[in-house]
Amino acid sequence: MLNKIIKRGHKKVPKSDPSDFVVAASGNRSSGSVSTSNVVVNHASRGAGAGAGVGMMNNWMQQQTVMSAAVPAPATIEALPMLKDVPMAERQSLFLRKLQVCCYQLDFNDTMKMVREKEIKRQTLAELVDCVQSNSLKISEINQEEMLKMISVNVFRCLPPASHENTGSENVEPEEEEQYLEASWPHLQLVYELLLRYIVSADTDTKVAKRFIDHSFVLKLLDSFESEDPREREYLKTILHRIYGKFMVHRPFIRKAINNIFYRFIYETERHSGIGELLEILGSIINGFALPMKEEHKLFLVRALIPLHKPKPIAMYHQQLSYCIVQFVEKDYKLCDTVIRGLLKYWPVTNCQKEVLFLGELEEVLEATQAAEFQRCMVPLFRQVARCLNSPHFQVAERALFLWNNEHVVSLIAQNRNVILPIIFEALEKNIRSHWNQAVNGLTVNVRKMFLEMDADLFEDCQKQYVEKAARATDLEKQRELRWQRLAAAAGQGG
């Protein structure tokens, strides 16, 4: 059976099938050319439930075994001469042979295994990077295609199941998980560097390159953002951003594909390692949107970005998300009402850390809000702020009070004080009378004083209404107590 698997791994595949990446062996063993197995890209394990974690790990190990069984014997990889040491006429063929050497799959989990072969591949990759970066060789179209195939063989691999899938636990917080580092990074980094240098090179013709860097290639790059190694995600972020900038034909497709990743994360898995990096790319893209903004982009804000406030692990990517949201508001101030109402829709009920994040983002959005838009949403907004002012968690109450440190926010409040002060007056009084935290108490006194100086008559009216409301509440409580006493007495007489 093993022999059949090995033979199948060496079988040539027609070039017409873009899903398979195979470099066929040419020449004898001394030439250093290598035949590689088909590479299966499968991230199904990342979307599975916790109960499937062990099964996914077994599947991944079986696939790795098949792939490692299908690579040639160690003797087939040998050092080749440097490109600069051969005549110009032979460099294209040597470049191809070096690409074939770099397709060789090695086991990096055992540091003592195939040390010589690993060093040969590392040196070969480094030379290819230098060649593309220095533009010392005009790479033929055939070699460009083979280079992208080699990159695909190395990069588009089966990622191991995420750490929470190994344990079968869904309760582990993502920020508490141990950081995973890819064992093959010494080689993988050079492969990513080669791809990056190829994309940014002035010699790379997009009309030619888009045949190899197609939609299938882009989707597999996006799949790779599931990698738990932050170094790999950083390279992927840079590369995808460069592809977006250079290949205009791919732009709508990339935006749509990122949308789909977000939808799956929000409504299905709430597990994905690369949300922050994808949002960083989008932050730069949003910054470049032309005005007036397309309806497609506004729908993206409403359907994808605002719902990203819902998942529990928002702290992992909130900084990047907040930047994207604020970019939209700064581009089109009329979106302020939409954004603020979206924040209120997903406002956390029991998660105090998320509330602090939301309040910080709210202040940034209000910075870019104009008076007309503010008036449309100020009533529901300050009802929520009032609840935050009375939060028993001192950080939430403190962060809500910090809104009055912002001059622009204070200006908006002052213009609409007749509506806002009656909404929050009771919350301010409660804090002064009964909040346990001294810092919150002091900040509340300052805000109260600010309103008093802003409009003394309005303040007195609100205070009068508060006293009357408190008196009515006291009367109701007394009446309730009397009723209970009568009921108790009647029950005693009946007994």
Side-chain angles (χ1 to χ4, degrees):
M1 181 64 184
L2 182 60
N3 291 334
K4 287 183 179 179
I5 293 172
I6 294 172
K7 287 178 181 177
R8 196 181 304 130
H10 286 275
K11 193 182 293 181
K12 287 187 178 180
V13 177
K15 286 188 178 180
S16 58
D17 186 355
S19 64
D20 297 325
F21 298 96
V22 178
V23 181
S26 59
N28 54 34
R29 289 192 169 198
S30 63
S31 68
S33 56
V34 177
S35 172
T36 59
S37 62
N38 293 355
V39 175
V40 181
V41 179
N42 180 8
H43 299 292
S45 64
R46 293 308 176 87
V54 176
M56 291 300 180
M57 173 58 98
N58 291 337
N59 291 340
W60 175 74
M61 292 175 68
Q62 289 170 7
Q63 289 170 348
Q64 294 297 313
T65 303
V66 172
M67 288 169 66
S68 60
V71 299
T76 58
I77 183 169
E78 291 185 9
L80 295 168
M82 300 281 284
L83 286 164
K84 63 181 181 180
D85 295 336
V86 300
M88 186 61 74
E90 298 177 17
R91 289 185 184 178
Q92 293 291 346
S93 60
L94 180 59
F95 189 91
L96 175 60
R97 289 165 63 193
K98 286 180 179 287
L99 292 174
Q100 292 167 346
V101 166
C102 294
C103 287
Y104 196 89
Q105 303 294 297
L106 300 164
D107 180 11
F108 283 85
N109 293 314
D110 185 350
T111 55
M112 303 306 293
K113 188 177 179 182
M114 301 175 73
V115 176
R116 172 181 164 277
E117 286 79 4
K118 288 174 185 175
E119 182 58 21
I120 290 173
K121 182 177 177 180
R122 189 195 66 77
Q123 290 179 0
T124 306
L125 282 167
E127 186 187 4
L128 292 175
V129 171
D130 182 64
C131 176
V132 173
Q133 187 172 2
S134 63
N135 296 325
S136 58
L137 177 66
K138 180 73 173 177
I139 306 169
S140 67
E141 289 186 21
I142 292 173
N143 278 354
Q144 287 182 52
E145 182 177 6
E146 295 302 320
M147 182 170 68
L148 267 296
K149 286 181 180 179
M150 180 277 289
I151 290 168
S152 301
V153 165
N154 284 276
V155 170
F156 303 144
R157 63 206 188 280
C158 287
L159 295 174
S163 51
H164 71 278
E165 290 170 346
N166 292 343
T167 60
S169 172
E170 290 186 339
N171 299 321
V172 181
E173 294 289 338
E175 54 265 34
E176 293 177 5
E177 293 175 0
E178 289 186 17
Q179 192 176 67
Y180 167 80
L181 297 176
E182 175 62 53
S184 63
W185 186 246
H187 285 194
L188 199 56
Q189 180 182 14
L190 290 169
V191 176
Y192 276 121
E193 188 67 26
L194 178 63
L195 176 58
L196 177 60
R197 294 302 161 195
Y198 171 71
I199 291 166
V200 302
S201 173
D203 283 356
T204 300
D205 184 351
T206 53
K207 292 180 181 178
V208 174
K210 73 180 181 181
R211 299 209 304 266
F212 323 128
I213 301 178
D214 55 8
H215 287 181
S216 174
F217 187 90
V218 169
L219 278 178
K220 288 170 184 175
L221 271 182
L222 285 166
D223 275 346
S224 300
F225 274 91
E226 290 243 41
S227 170
E228 292 190 311
D229 191 325
R231 302 168 300 180
E232 182 169 11
R233 296 198 306 271
E234 192 65 24
Y235 259 102
L236 285 163
K237 178 186 75 177
T238 306
I239 288 166
L240 188 65
H241 193 193
R242 294 290 189 171
I243 290 173
Y244 188 91
K246 191 158 188 169
F247 297 82
M248 293 186 68
V249 67
H250 290 335
R251 289 182 180 183
F253 179 80
I254 291 173
R255 291 197 300 269
K256 186 176 179 181
I258 292 176
N259 269 10
N260 292 336
I261 291 173
F262 287 166
Y263 294 152
R264 187 161 182 248
F265 171 72
I266 295 163
Y267 300 111
E268 293 181 26
T269 65
E270 289 200 359
R271 289 278 185 174
H272 195 290
S273 301
I275 299 297
E277 285 80 6
L278 291 171
L279 284 168
E280 281 187 54
I281 296 169
L282 285 168
S284 181
I285 292 171
I286 295 164
N287 193 32
F289 282 166
L291 294 176
M293 202 178 294
K294 292 180 181 177
E295 197 62 30
E296 169 203 344
H297 302 326
K298 294 178 184 178
L299 285 173
F300 168 69
L301 170 68
V302 173
R303 294 178 179 176
L305 283 187
I306 291 176
L308 275 172
H309 290 85
K310 175 179 175 284
K312 189 179 179 183
I314 185 176
M316 301 289 290
Y317 57 82
H318 181 262
Q319 185 179 351
Q320 297 93 330
L321 175 60
S322 179
Y323 177 78
C324 290
I325 295 286
V326 173
Q327 286 289 307
F328 265 103
V329 174
E330 289 179 349
K331 282 276 181 183
D332 185 352
Y333 69 89
K334 291 183 179 179
L335 293 171
C336 292
D337 179 58
T338 302
V339 167
I340 290 173
R341 289 182 185 275
L343 281 171
L344 295 175
K345 178 182 177 181
Y346 294 104
W347 201 277
V349 178
T350 58
N351 190 327
C352 296
Q353 283 71 32
K354 278 183 74 171
E355 276 198 278
V356 173
L357 294 176
F358 274 50
L359 285 163
E361 183 178 349
L362 177 63
E363 182 178 347
E364 290 188 61
V365 172
L366 288 173
E367 277 268 19
T369 304
Q370 296 186 13
E373 300 304 314
F374 179 76
Q375 288 170 0
R376 292 174 63 186
C377 60
M378 62 185 176
V379 172
L381 170 60
F382 277 88
R383 283 176 182 161
Q384 182 60 59
V385 170
R387 286 190 284 270
C388 292
L389 290 173
N390 291 148
S391 173
H393 195 292
F394 79 97
Q395 287 180 331
V396 175
E398 191 176 59
R399 190 65 189 82
L401 288 161
F402 282 161
L403 289 172
W404 277 265
N405 289 345
N406 188 301
E407 289 184 11
H408 182 69
V409 175
V410 170
S411 172
L412 291 171
I413 292 171
Q415 292 171 43
N416 301 278
R417 59 187 179 275
N418 292 332
V419 176
I420 294 171
L421 184 56
I423 294 172
I424 66 165
F425 189 87
E426 185 176 346
L428 295 173
E429 290 296 319
K430 280 183 179 178
N431 270 7
I432 291 170
R433 292 167 189 257
S434 60
H435 202 285
W436 67 270
N437 185 272
Q438 201 64 38
V440 170
N441 195 286
L443 287 167
T444 306
V445 169
N446 292 339
V447 171
R448 187 177 182 272
K449 184 180 177 183
M450 193 181 295
F451 276 111
L452 179 59
E453 293 172 352
M454 203 180 284
D455 192 332
D457 293 339
L458 175 65
F459 187 89
E460 287 177 12
D461 288 344
C462 289
Q463 193 168 36
K464 184 180 177 181
Q465 290 173 18
Y466 173 74
V467 170
E468 290 174 355
K469 184 178 179 182
R472 286 196 300 272
T474 303
D475 290 342
L476 284 171
E477 187 61 32
K478 287 179 180 178
Q479 291 173 19
R480 190 179 295 112
E481 284 293 328
L482 283 171
R483 280 196 292 269
W484 275 113
Q485 288 172 11
R486 288 179 193 136
L487 286 169
Q493 290 173 3

